[in-house]
Amino acid sequence: MPSSLSQQPPHAPAPVKLITAFGSPFAHRVEVALALKGVPYELVVEDLANKSALLLQHNPVHRSVPVLLHGGRAVCESLLIVEYVDEAFHHGAAAPRILPADPYDRAAAHFWAQFIADKCLKPLWLSMWAGGDAQARFARETKESLAILDAQLEGKKTRFFGGDAIGFVDLAACTLAHWLGVLEEVAGVRLVGDGEYPALRRWAEEYTSDETVKRFLPDRDELVAFFSANKERYTSRVRASLQQQ
Amino acid sequence: MSPPVKLIGAFGSPAVHRAEAALRLKGVPYELILEDLENKSELLLKSNPIHKKVPVLLHGDRTVCESLVILEYIDETFDGPPLLPADPYDRSMARFWAHFIDHKCAKPFMLSMWSEGETQKESMKESKENLAFLEEQLIKRKKRFFGGDSIGYLDIAACGMAYWLGVIQESAGVSLASGEEFPALRRWAEEYTSDEAIKPCLPDRDKLLTHYVANIDKYRLMVKAPPA
């Protein structure tokens, strides 16, 4: 492990700002990470329909939230930010680790986070708004992935993907814990049947009841209202992107 | 004494090259097991049941899949020159641009090469914008490589741009950029592909070109079809 990870924090720690937007599960990941590490920060809330100069300046590539500003330097992409927070604010043995210490365990955590992002969340989002044949295809892919995740959890027999404490993979999967039901309701697309994925359900319950996580879960009714208000925009954007092939 | 390292790979795969490049830069001996991807072995299917893809790193009884994950594992597990920088911010930047290459560059590039009409035109525009971002990053660093004075994680992650881009463009008869454009990237590609550790694990150019030409109809169909 690089030696900088065990150094003392600078004497005057640089201020941290987090550019976020209401309802974003990606921003949620970072807020939980900052809270787990005990890092104070200032929240800058964007209206994504009217993006600020600050956001566009610091995330010119993706123009999305969250963006972490630490001493004026910007870190983008939520899971990269979580990893950055884990590495930059590692204040000795007492601080909780979001990613494991062991390289092989870290590889597993990276693998599963990527699997969740690419094979669960991406088709999940598309299945909500695509309609027609595409919807059935994405729904099938999502469900296959959820089954794999469920089997992973079942095999581990721990409260969380990371073990007894919330870790990197749990944050990666947070959408499944709190946003999935909201999306299903707003889109009118039911992906998860009664009794399906019992280990995932148990995990979702554990995750959303955690004292730290709870503070950063947006109110469910507000989420429903928010996604409902944006439903047409998501639908047209998803369908346009699928046409492009 | 570290347990033996095996790498399941396939000819011509930039993802497999990433893993080989990392192992060679660290001076780690390994056995390369070449797959016929049309006829995947039991070993591959057992080692990577979820994705069934190469590369797969086998280190003793450990299995690591996904090329960027493999890069970090190799960097953290074996001695030798570090591939990722030490500073957390620099690390996050290296990872950001690697992800950019995989998630934002790959699809428009493939569409530029193998689609037609308006889709191709839009994709070429987007591909050039992507290259411009990477050119800017290279210029900013004022060094031979993305990683600094020596090859690092991001150089390896960007290997597709250093070597495969040229071959694929030639096979498809599509040119993304003129000889004058992206001079820093061109210089970098030359440096990367001439490096003593990298050269031996780059696929033979003629063989690679033949491979892409032979499969072009398949690729053209692939970009038309909806994702499986």
Side-chain angles (χ1 to χ4, degrees), chain A:
Chain A
M1 289 285 263
S3 62
S4 67
L5 291 181
S6 57
Q7 278 169 11
Q8 291 302 306
H11 292 294
V16 175
K17 273 191 188 163
L18 181 67
I19 309 178
T20 183
F22 173 77
S24 164
F26 310 111
H28 165 86
R29 290 167 170 171
V30 177
E31 290 208 76
V32 175
L34 288 164
L36 288 172
K37 296 297 243 190
V39 177
Y41 60 98
E42 179 194 332
L43 209 57
V44 176
V45 185
E46 287 283 317
D47 167 12
L48 293 179
N50 193 18
K51 292 173 184 177
S52 73
L54 184 74
L55 173 60
L56 298 176
Q57 178 200 346
H58 288 294
N59 193 357
V61 175
H62 300 294
R63 303 192 285 279
S64 59
V65 295
V67 177
L68 188 89
L69 297 172
H70 185 201
R73 298 198 294 190
V75 186
C76 306
E77 300 291 274
S78 60
L79 290 177
L80 297 185
I81 301 173
V82 168
E83 193 149 14
Y84 172 77
V85 166
D86 198 31
E87 294 178 359
F89 299 99
H90 186 69
H91 301 172
R97 283 186 167 279
I98 299 176
L99 274 138
D102 174 76
Y104 189 50
D105 294 337
R106 291 165 68 81
H110 281 132
F111 175 88
W112 285 107
Q114 199 175 310
F115 174 80
I116 287 163
D118 295 343
K119 300 288 179 186
C120 295
L121 303 183
K122 187 164 158 215
L124 166 61
W125 182 253
L126 295 172
S127 75
M128 291 293 126
W129 318 114
D133 289 337
Q135 186 208 306
R137 222 186 325 121
F138 292 126
R140 198 167 43 242
E141 187 184 344
T142 310
K143 289 184 71 102
E144 279 166 10
S145 300
L146 290 176
I148 291 172
L149 270 186
D150 189 71
Q152 250 311 94
L153 271 171
E154 190 61 52
K156 274 175 178 291
K157 305 210 177 316
T158 51
R159 288 170 67 207
F160 300 109
F161 284 99
D164 293 317
I166 284 175
F168 191 66
V169 181
D170 302 286
L171 295 180
C174 71
T175 302
L176 302 177
H178 186 67
W179 278 259
L180 176 52
V182 171
L183 291 174
E184 286 180 305
E185 186 179 321
V186 171
V189 173
R190 186 117 190 268
L191 272 190
V192 178
D194 292 331
E196 278 193 295
Y197 320 120
L200 264 179
R201 275 178 201 277
R202 273 193 311 269
W203 164 82
E205 189 54 47
E206 289 276 9
Y207 184 80
T208 53
S209 331
D210 178 85
E211 286 308 315
T212 307
V213 165
K214 263 196 316 207
R215 287 157 52 195
F216 306 104
L217 289 176
D219 175 78
R220 198 187 185 280
D221 290 338
E222 283 181 41
L223 270 182
V224 171
F226 175 79
F227 280 103
S228 299
N230 285 288
K231 180 173 172 175
E232 261 183 63
R233 194 160 60 89
Y234 301 146
T235 303
S236 58
R237 223 191 256 170
V238 161
R239 292 182 191 192
S241 78
L242 292 173
Q243 289 290 357
Q244 212 192 22
Q245 298 190 179

Side-chain angles (χ1 to χ4, degrees), chain A residues 1-5 59-63 70 73-77 80-81 83-84 87-88 101-108 110-112 114-115 118-119 137-138 141 148 241-245, chain B residues 48 50-51 53 61-66 68-69 72-73 76-77 85-93 95-97 99-100 103-104 107 111 119 122-123 126 133 222-228:
Chain A
M1 289 285 263
S3 62
S4 67
L5 291 181
N59 193 357
V61 175
H62 300 294
R63 303 192 285 279
H70 185 201
R73 298 198 294 190
V75 186
C76 306
E77 300 291 274
L80 297 185
I81 301 173
E83 193 149 14
Y84 172 77
E87 294 178 359
D102 174 76
Y104 189 50
D105 294 337
R106 291 165 68 81
H110 281 132
F111 175 88
W112 285 107
Q114 199 175 310
F115 174 80
D118 295 343
K119 300 288 179 186
R137 222 186 325 121
F138 292 126
E141 187 184 344
I148 291 172
S241 78
L242 292 173
Q243 289 290 357
Q244 212 192 22
Q245 298 190 179
Chain B
N48 192 355
I50 289 177
H51 299 296
K53 284 179 172 179
D61 57 5
R62 296 171 162 189
T63 306
V64 188
C65 304
E66 295 296 292
L68 293 181
V69 179
E72 292 213 31
Y73 176 78
E76 292 169 10
T77 303
D87 175 73
Y89 178 72
D90 296 334
R91 293 160 74 81
S92 74
M93 284 295 101
R95 289 173 181 138
F96 175 86
W97 290 109
H99 284 231
F100 171 78
H103 291 118
K104 209 147 191 279
K107 188 170 152 193
L111 288 171
T119 302
E122 293 288 328
S123 303
E126 194 180 338
F133 275 121
M222 181 185 78
V223 299
K224 279 208 174 94

Side-chain angles (χ1 to χ4, degrees), chain B residues 140-153:
Chain B
K140 250 186 179 175
R141 282 160 174 70
K142 299 188 182 13
K143 298 271 182 172
R144 287 168 72 205
F145 299 108
F146 286 104
D149 295 316
S150 48
I151 288 173
Y153 170 92

Side-chain angles (χ1 to χ4, degrees), chain B residues 14-70:
Chain B
V16 171
H17 167 83
R18 285 171 168 177
E20 287 202 78
L23 288 167
R24 284 176 179 273
L25 286 165
K26 291 291 211 183
V28 177
Y30 62 98
E31 178 194 337
L32 183 64
I33 300 169
L34 278 177
E35 286 282 320
D36 168 10
L37 295 178
E38 307 286 313
N39 191 16
K40 292 174 182 177
S41 72
E42 259 317 294
L43 178 66
L44 173 57
L45 297 176
K46 195 175 54 117
S47 310
N48 192 355
I50 289 177
H51 299 296
K52 307 180 178 54
K53 284 179 172 179
V54 292
V56 180
L57 187 81
L58 303 169
H59 183 205
D61 57 5
R62 296 171 162 189
T63 306
V64 188
C65 304
E66 295 296 292
S67 61
L68 293 181
V69 179
I70 292 172

